[in-house]
Amino acid sequence: LKCSSMALARRLHASLRPAAGAAVAQQQAALGGGPEARQPRGHGRMDVARSRVMLGAAAGVVAGMCGEAGRRNLASGGFAACAGAPAGGLEIDKPETHRSRAYQHFSLPNGMKVILASDANCDKAAAALAVGVGRLHEPKDMPGLAHFCEHMLFLGTEEFPDEAEYKRFLKGHGGKCNAATSDSYTVYMFDVAPDHFSGVLDRFSNFFLTPLLTPSATEREINAVDSEHSMRITDDGRRSYASLLLDANPAHPLHWGSGNAQSLRDAPLARGTDPHKEVLAFYKKHYTAEDMTLAVLGREPLPELRRLVEARFSGVQSTGHRALRGDEHGGDEPAILPENFSGLVLRVPSKDTRSVAFTWQLPSWQVPLWESKPGAYAEHFVGHEGEGSLLSALKAAGYATSLSAGVDEFGCFSHFEVKVTLTEKGLDHVEDVGNFVFTYLRLLQSTPFQAWAIGEMQDIREVRFRFADDRQPYDLVGGLAKNLQLYPPQHVLSAPIKMPSPDRRATEEMLSRLTPEGVRVEFVAKRFADRCKDVDPWYGGQYSRLPLEDSWTKSWAKAAGSGSRLVAAGAEQRAAEREAAKNGMKLHRPNPFIPKDLSLRERAISSAATSSAAVTGPEVLSEPIPGIAKVYHRQDSHFLQPKASVAFRIHGPAAAADAASYLRSQVWCSAVMEELNEYSYDARIAGLSYHLGAAPTGIELSVGGFSDKLPVLLKIVTQKMRDSNTVAPGTFRIVQDRYQRGLKNLALKQRPCDFAGRKARELMSSLSFSVEDRLAALEKLSPSDLDGENGRLLDTCHIEALLTGNLAPTDAAGISAAASSELKPQAAPDALALPAEAQLPQGSSVWNLKGTNPEERNNCVRLEMQMPASMDNYVYTMLFVRILSPKFFESLRTKQQLGYIVQMAPSESDNFMSVICYIQTEYPADYVRSRIDSFFTEHFEWLEKELEEAEFLRQRSGIISNLAEAPKSLSEEFDRYWSEIVPQRYDFGRRARKGEAMEAADLAGFRKFVQDRVMAAPRLYVEVHSISEKPGKAEPEGAESPRAPDRTWEGEEDARHFRDGARWFSKGQPVELGASPPRLSRL
């Protein structure tokens, strides 16, 4: 569990955050709107199985409630744990937030482990199967074979030989699927409408019984793996892991294993090895039932689910060959020899990042130590961000903007890492940064073991597990199948989170290892381009391997102190405390935000018996709240958790005037959060978090988590907002640094498909201020420019609020009134800023853009077909995409192999319904555009003449199933309500009406829609052309040229001309082709 600010917000508290402003929060995080998250490190589609990832998985698998007894216990604020359904003497530890879900574990005669989840109320059935083999089990001379085998399993079985059958069946019944390969396992998962579960299970089980693995598919899927590799060449996390893999012990199976055409085709063929024979041999050897874990969730009772599983999976082969696990790999050989692990690694990042990481190799794989989690103690203290913390001291010195600390779990080894994101000043003071790190570690090592901290960690973990949010069935089964590979079945839900048996000796022993001896330092910055002469062979990342500088090692040894550590008291402890105090460091004290009152408000208890998943929307409080235009409230009576979500949308003209105004409000919001970070960190640890961010029409404040201390945190945040008339220079430097690097990375290092999407949004939305314009505004911004920003944002504003969860109407009124009294709005604006959208010109337009990343050799084509928004157009656009998207993927990716990212999706806004298509490709963009056009030409005719009624009805049923899905958690429910309040629609029954309209759709109406709307829709192609010097793929000989567009725009200038002359529509204006909208006013 990495302890870092945004990392905690994302990983530790995902189940507790309010969903309000998810898009704003995501953008703020990307641009440095909050302290930064560390880069992921692994490689492959699922990367390494780390403890922090496993916590996310566990948060996904804990779901449901355990009956009336649990409900009574919950209502009374009790703390007894629920037990799962007995199964062969096992009781599965599960959280109190279960309601109707019963679990059972058993093993098939062939050795496959199975966990069943029966939930009569589920609106999606799901299953996942994890095979305990991955990159570590493949031959080192054919890296990527495990990943390649995963791809091949999707391409037909003896009973269902059509390559597209599995995905087509799923798509037609509201389902989805995926798979991923890691170092130590490969997992396959799907979900589907419950009535069609057995049909998908028939197709899914055959992956592991009779896959075709045909020679004809071999070349195509090697190309698919290669395209996936190409897409990730510039990923800094992969480049970092690559530099570690280059130091791997040659006698150990640890190696790079994502795979590409060179490793899977060219090199094997050159030495006379047939890739097809190799994948067959790998499957036959490793895909054995003893190494498989299956998780199944459905409506059926447990006995019936068991029969479904036994009938379909009992025939999976059992070879008697068991895969190695963890430390078993390599025998007595370590994954990385100590002399190769320690030292200095300089690395040049693709993005503009600056960091230094201190890493220690641990003597054993830590996953089996889940009961004691020896690394948790060091994580808890070193990663803390409150007053006196290591991070606070580094920030005060001007060296750092964020820090994370914790155990990283790979498939066969573990290490402990402290990673510091550096300021420009910090780049020149890495020796001093190390002094801070080792001074703090000395303090922790010499201080008597803090039993209170272990107890606090146990309490927080217990509460988090007990009230962990439910997740979608798809996520639940994936987590279960993976966890069953790693943990005892009775603890498959709780093991990644709980810490039932702390081991003081193991904790102290691990802490004693965190010294300058044996440390590996990875120093990352753009400035090392001239010093890094080596290039990794897989991603082309520049790096250099060096011994640690002598001055560093001597200075750090002095900071680390001498003599015995982990003593109860004495001179060493007093010396460590004195040295730490010189830099403002001390160990933190007990957390005041741990919730004490976990009871439910009375009204929720009284209505719980009749509650159902189908809930009405929130209601406006009857009594007006001064300063707030509308307060929407819904007290929870379904999820029965002591949590709440609160959000305030503060509309005002100050943030929406121009790019500079929007950027200024972003920076101010982030400055407020930065100055509250020491205070709010304890709240985040205890499951209560907040976010303050800019929105196109103002700012947004959201608070969510355990309701007990929510008013306390909200009061402090709103006070700080009103009092923040100026921003301290030190705070400004930290925030400016984050935004500058975040905006530069968006401007210069986005994937081509993301770049194309961003440019399209900036082109067609009136309040979407471009990254480039905001970056230019940031270059001119000074701390004095933020003087009085609080007044500009809060004095004249229109506030709307939503409060849901464990809050009675009186609570909602009190919280809203308290917030208003602190924010002190003075007046309402004369008018609100209304976002407007541009209508595309008739015909086809091609917008050519140059890529911005010289390392990126992919191009992109993004097509948008735009239609007026209406209920009919919504219904038929959804059907159009549902019917054609599998064929789009099958034709352009599977068969034509145009690229790894091939997508078709619907897009809905206030004024328009659109069909969006993406292809990220190494082929020339014009050629790919011609293939998209050919696809639609062919399939428009197919829709008109060959689409059968039964297929249409099946796809319609799948969409209806998705629309009928109930929210699985308080945060999901909150999201649905907030998505109606933010655009000021307030139509909380809209989703239900969409389902009713979908029921009325027919094939004749659909064909008329395709003819009248889709075929006549204006089209915008955004083509991103790579600027890489490395050649892409040439178009095939004899390829047809694309049709000439009606207009072509080159670069940004032509796009600005379009915006200036475009027809803009704001919310509520009917859009008809050829209509002239009234003049648009910004306010």
Side-chain angles (χ1 to χ4, degrees):
L1 315 181
K2 286 289 182 180
C3 293
S4 67
S5 49
M6 283 306 291
L8 274 163
R10 187 178 70 247
R11 288 193 296 272
L12 298 183
H13 302 293
S15 64
L16 300 174
R17 67 163 182 84
V24 173
Q26 185 180 34
Q27 184 184 37
Q28 291 287 96
L31 301 183
E36 296 168 354
R38 54 171 286 144
Q39 285 283 345
R41 297 281 300 268
H43 70 302
R45 294 176 71 182
M46 187 155 284
D47 299 324
V48 295
R50 315 196 165 99
S51 55
R52 68 178 192 268
V53 174
M54 295 313 301
L55 176 62
V61 296
V62 290
M65 289 192 153
C66 53
E68 190 58 37
R71 191 176 298 138
R72 288 194 299 269
N73 184 276
L74 170 63
S76 65
F79 212 90
C82 290
L90 293 180
E91 288 191 346
I92 295 175
D93 185 18
K94 64 180 183 180
E96 288 190 5
T97 41
H98 282 233
R99 176 168 300 156
S100 58
R101 196 166 293 158
Y103 286 98
Q104 184 183 79
H105 168 264
F106 65 96
S107 294
L108 292 173
N110 58 11
M112 185 185 296
K113 295 179 181 179
V114 182
I115 188 162
L116 305 176
S118 174
D119 187 343
N121 297 320
C122 75
D123 44 30
K124 273 290 174 68
L129 189 146
V131 187
V133 293
R135 294 184 289 261
L136 288 166
H137 305 91
E138 67 193 11
K140 292 177 73 172
D141 64 355
M142 198 168 178
L145 184 60
H147 184 193
F148 173 44
C149 182
E150 168 223 307
H151 275 243
M152 290 288 286
L153 257 65
F154 283 85
L155 301 179
T157 63
E158 289 182 9
E159 187 173 350
F160 302 98
D162 185 341
E163 291 184 1
E165 166 63 21
Y166 174 65
K167 290 183 178 179
R168 188 163 55 233
F169 188 91
L170 278 171
K171 196 80 170 180
H173 298 296
K176 60 182 176 293
C177 64
N178 205 348
T181 302
S182 72
D183 279 342
S184 54
Y185 55 77
T186 304
V187 62
Y188 303 81
M189 64 283 265
F190 72 84
D191 69 5
V192 72
D195 291 342
H196 300 280
F197 184 47
S198 63
V200 181
L201 213 57
D202 288 337
R203 291 157 174 80
F204 182 68
S205 61
N206 271 272
F207 282 23
F208 314 102
L209 292 166
T210 57
L212 292 179
L213 302 175
T214 59
S216 62
T218 299
E219 178 68 17
R220 284 189 281 112
E221 285 313 302
I222 288 176
N223 288 337
V225 172
D226 190 64
S227 293
E228 184 176 351
H229 171 74
S230 171
M231 178 184 72
R232 291 169 171 155
I233 279 178
T234 62
D235 184 276
D236 280 318
R238 292 168 187 273
R239 290 183 172 188
S240 175
Y241 192 48
S243 67
L244 182 65
L245 291 173
L246 287 165
D247 290 327
N249 182 352
H252 191 280
L254 180 66
H255 67 285
W256 173 81
S258 291
N260 57 21
Q262 172 65 24
S263 71
L264 291 170
R265 181 190 60 212
D266 300 345
L269 289 175
R271 61 175 183 266
T273 299
D274 183 348
H276 177 249
K277 290 181 179 178
E278 288 296 310
V279 76
L280 279 175
F282 181 85
Y283 176 86
K284 290 177 180 178
K285 177 180 179 180
H286 291 292
Y287 273 60
T288 177
E290 300 99 321
D291 284 326
M292 294 180 180
T293 50
L294 174 66
V296 170
L297 181 148
R299 285 179 179 172
E300 296 82 357
L302 288 172
E304 186 174 346
L305 285 176
R306 181 163 183 160
R307 286 192 293 271
L308 284 172
V309 167
E310 289 174 338
R312 290 161 175 80
F313 292 92
S314 294
V316 174
Q317 71 166 350
S318 174
T319 66
H321 174 81
R322 293 301 305 272
L324 299 177
R325 295 283 188 274
D327 309 54
E328 297 172 350
H329 288 285
D332 294 333
E333 294 285 347
I336 304 174
L337 295 169
E339 60 269 26
N340 293 331
F341 183 84
S342 60
L344 174 64
V345 178
L346 299 181
R347 193 170 62 78
V348 181
S350 175
K351 292 184 177 180
D352 184 12
T353 59
R354 303 185 294 263
S355 66
V356 60
F358 303 83
T359 309
W360 294 266
Q361 196 169 15
L362 300 180
S364 62
W365 192 44
Q366 298 289 294
V367 170
L369 307 179
W370 63 270
E371 293 179 282
S372 58
K373 295 181 173 63
Y377 185 81
E379 293 170 3
H380 186 69
F381 280 98
V382 181
H384 205 273
E385 299 181 14
E387 182 183 0
S389 67
L390 171 59
L391 176 60
S392 289
L394 289 168
K395 284 182 175 179
Y399 296 157
T401 61
S402 69
L403 178 148
S404 65
V407 175
D408 275 344
E409 300 290 6
F410 299 84
C412 58
F413 71 99
S414 305
H415 67 216
F416 188 93
E417 180 182 82
V418 179
K419 182 174 181 179
V420 181
T421 304
L422 299 169
T423 62
E424 193 73 38
K425 179 181 178 181
L427 279 178
D428 297 319
H429 292 272
V430 168
E431 180 179 324
D432 294 329
V433 171
N435 287 334
F436 277 81
V437 170
F438 287 108
T439 298
Y440 189 89
L441 287 172
R442 179 188 182 190
L443 172 65
L444 184 59
Q445 291 161 341
S446 63
T447 300
F449 190 75
Q450 303 292 291
W452 66 265
I454 290 291
E456 181 177 280
M457 292 158 60
Q458 286 182 292
D459 289 347
I460 290 172
R461 289 167 179 268
E462 180 68 37
V463 171
R464 285 192 50 77
F465 177 73
R466 178 185 171 193
F467 297 111
D469 281 353
D470 194 358
R471 294 284 292 276
Q472 293 291 338
Y474 182 83
D475 300 318
L476 180 138
V477 294
L480 280 171
K482 289 181 288 185
N483 285 357
L484 198 56
Q485 290 277 332
L486 301 171
Y487 306 113
Q490 61 269 43
H491 300 294
V492 71
L493 295 166
S494 61
I497 301 178
K498 287 187 177 183
M499 189 170 64
S501 304
D503 185 332
R504 175 174 177 170
R505 180 175 298 178
T507 296
E508 291 177 337
E509 193 278 332
M510 201 194 92
L511 186 59
S512 70
R513 293 179 172 275
L514 309 184
T515 67
E517 295 79 24
V519 70
R520 181 185 182 94
V521 178
E522 185 189 50
F523 193 7
V524 179
K526 285 285 191 182
R527 65 166 59 173
F528 298 137
D530 293 335
R531 294 180 61 185
C532 292
K533 303 301 183 182
D534 296 318
V535 176
D536 82 70
W538 310 298
Y539 303 105
Q542 290 180 262
Y543 76 100
S544 185
R545 192 73 167 81
L546 303 165
L548 284 174
E549 296 188 16
D550 287 342
S551 63
W552 293 7
T553 56
K554 291 175 182 178
S555 181
W556 295 347
K558 181 179 178 181
S562 60
S564 175
R565 298 181 178 87
L566 302 173
V567 293
E572 172 63 15
Q573 179 187 348
R574 291 190 292 272
E577 289 174 345
R578 286 195 300 271
E579 291 302 313
K582 290 178 183 178
N583 293 309
M585 293 188 293
K586 61 183 180 181
L587 300 186
H588 65 267
R589 304 311 304 161
N591 191 330
F593 278 96
I594 295 177
K596 305 299 183 184
D597 181 4
L598 296 171
S599 62
L600 298 180
R601 302 298 287 163
E602 184 174 352
R603 180 181 169 191
I605 299 169
S606 64
S607 60
T610 58
S611 173
S612 70
V615 294
T616 57
E619 297 179 351
V620 177
L621 290 183
S622 56
E623 295 296 324
I625 304 297
I628 301 182
K630 292 179 182 178
V631 176
Y632 289 89
H633 168 252
R634 176 175 169 75
Q635 183 176 352
D636 173 55
S637 61
H638 175 66
F639 298 104
L640 301 181
Q641 293 178 289
K643 300 177 184 178
S645 292
V646 174
F648 298 89
R649 185 75 170 208
I650 304 171
H651 298 268
D658 50 35
S661 300
Y662 181 56
L663 184 280
R664 191 171 61 237
S665 65
Q666 284 184 303
V667 172
W668 180 83
C669 289
S670 295
V672 171
M673 291 191 70
E674 175 60 36
E675 294 190 349
L676 283 175
N677 189 57
E678 287 188 356
Y679 176 82
S680 64
Y681 181 80
D682 275 332
R684 291 201 301 276
I685 289 290
L688 179 63
S689 59
Y690 85 99
H691 184 266
L692 177 65
T697 60
I699 59 175
E700 187 176 291
L701 169 65
S702 57
V703 186
F706 289 108
S707 54
D708 180 25
K709 304 292 178 66
L710 187 150
V712 177
L713 178 61
L714 181 61
K715 179 179 177 66
I716 295 298
V717 173
T718 50
Q719 281 180 345
K720 182 67 176 177
M721 290 169 65
R722 174 42 82 177
D723 293 343
S724 293
N725 189 52
T726 60
V727 172
T731 300
F732 179 81
R733 284 194 296 271
I734 290 173
V735 174
Q736 182 190 44
D737 181 79
R738 290 187 191 132
Y739 269 93
Q740 190 167 56
R741 283 183 293 116
L743 287 167
K744 280 184 178 179
N745 288 331
L746 280 178
L748 302 175
K749 298 295 182 178
Q750 274 189 303
R751 296 188 309 175
C753 58
D754 297 328
F755 179 69
R758 173 171 68 83
K759 283 299 178 182
R761 289 189 297 274
E762 292 171 356
L763 176 75
M764 298 168 65
S765 175
S766 66
L767 296 182
S768 183
F769 304 111
S770 77
V771 167
E772 291 76 12
D773 287 348
R774 282 182 283 158
L775 186 58
L778 182 65
E779 299 292 345
K780 301 175 183 178
L781 193 69
S782 68
S784 62
D785 293 325
L786 298 174
D787 291 350
E789 184 68 10
N790 58 339
R792 285 191 288 270
L793 294 170
L794 300 175
D795 285 352
T796 302
C797 64
H798 171 92
I799 303 178
E800 295 180 332
L802 172 64
L803 301 91
T804 69
N806 190 35
L807 300 171
T810 53
D811 299 323
I815 289 171
S816 301
S820 179
S821 69
E822 298 295 344
L823 295 174
K824 300 180 177 62
Q826 305 298 307
D830 294 334
L832 298 182
L834 292 176
E837 299 168 276
Q839 186 176 39
L840 292 174
Q842 282 300 299
S844 62
S845 308
V846 172
W847 184 17
N848 288 310
L849 293 169
K850 289 184 178 180
T852 57
N853 185 356
E855 296 178 288
E856 177 62 71
R857 60 176 182 246
N858 279 290
N859 306 304
C860 179
V861 179
R862 179 190 188 272
L863 165 64
E864 179 165 355
M865 296 185 284
Q866 186 190 68
M867 293 157 283
S870 70
M871 185 61 79
D872 279 351
N873 285 358
Y874 167 83
V875 165
Y876 288 122
T877 300
M878 296 298 289
L879 283 162
F880 180 86
V881 170
R882 178 62 66 106
I883 292 167
L884 284 191
S885 60
K887 295 182 177 295
F888 188 76
F889 185 91
E890 179 185 2
S891 173
L892 299 177
R893 178 183 155 174
T894 305
K895 293 182 178 179
Q896 299 184 49
Q897 296 283 294
L898 294 183
Y900 184 72
I901 298 178
V902 176
Q903 296 176 348
M904 179 190 296
S907 174
E908 180 185 18
S909 66
D910 282 327
N911 301 289
F912 298 102
M913 278 300 306
S914 298
V915 175
I916 310 290
C917 300
Y918 281 102
I919 298 182
Q920 184 167 293
T921 178
E922 292 187 65
Y923 285 104
D926 281 346
Y927 166 68
V928 172
R929 172 161 58 89
S930 75
R931 304 317 303 147
I932 294 174
D933 285 345
S934 293
F935 171 86
F936 281 114
T937 299
E938 176 186 346
H939 284 82
F940 283 149
E941 184 175 356
W942 178 84
L943 291 173
E944 177 63 31
K945 297 180 180 179
E946 299 181 41
L947 175 62
E948 296 178 354
E949 179 86 14
E951 172 70 5
F952 175 83
L953 294 176
R954 186 172 68 180
Q955 300 291 352
R956 189 186 70 174
S957 176
I959 299 175
I960 292 169
S961 173
N962 289 345
L963 289 170
E965 285 185 47
K968 301 299 184 293
S969 64
L970 283 169
S971 60
E972 281 191 30
E973 181 183 78
F974 185 96
D975 259 344
R976 292 191 183 183
Y977 299 152
W978 194 241
S979 68
E980 293 297 320
I981 291 173
V982 168
Q984 299 177 297
R985 280 193 303 258
Y986 317 111
D987 186 357
F988 304 112
R990 196 163 66 102
R991 186 183 181 98
R993 289 203 313 281
K994 286 179 176 178
E996 294 168 359
M998 190 66 68
E999 289 272 13
D1002 57 36
L1003 182 56
F1006 174 71
R1007 284 178 167 150
K1008 179 174 173 48
F1009 165 79
V1010 172
Q1011 182 73 32
D1012 295 349
R1013 287 298 191 186
V1014 182
M1015 294 177 68
R1019 298 185 183 191
L1020 171 63
Y1021 298 86
V1022 180
E1023 294 190 1
V1024 179
H1025 302 270
S1026 171
I1027 59 172
S1028 173
E1029 294 180 356
K1030 297 180 180 179
K1033 296 178 180 179
E1035 65 181 56
E1037 187 176 347
E1040 63 181 271
S1041 300
R1043 289 193 294 269
D1046 294 293
R1047 62 196 63 80
T1048 300
W1049 303 329
E1050 299 292 341
E1052 301 281 357
E1053 190 61 33
D1054 284 356
R1056 277 192 283 271
H1057 290 316
F1058 162 74
R1059 280 179 63 94
D1060 291 343
R1063 297 158 61 213
W1064 293 86
F1065 294 83
S1066 57
K1067 184 173 72 72
Q1069 289 181 260
V1071 179
E1072 289 297 337
L1073 300 180
S1076 298
R1079 184 175 179 273
L1080 176 67
S1081 173
R1082 290 295 296 269
L1083 292 177

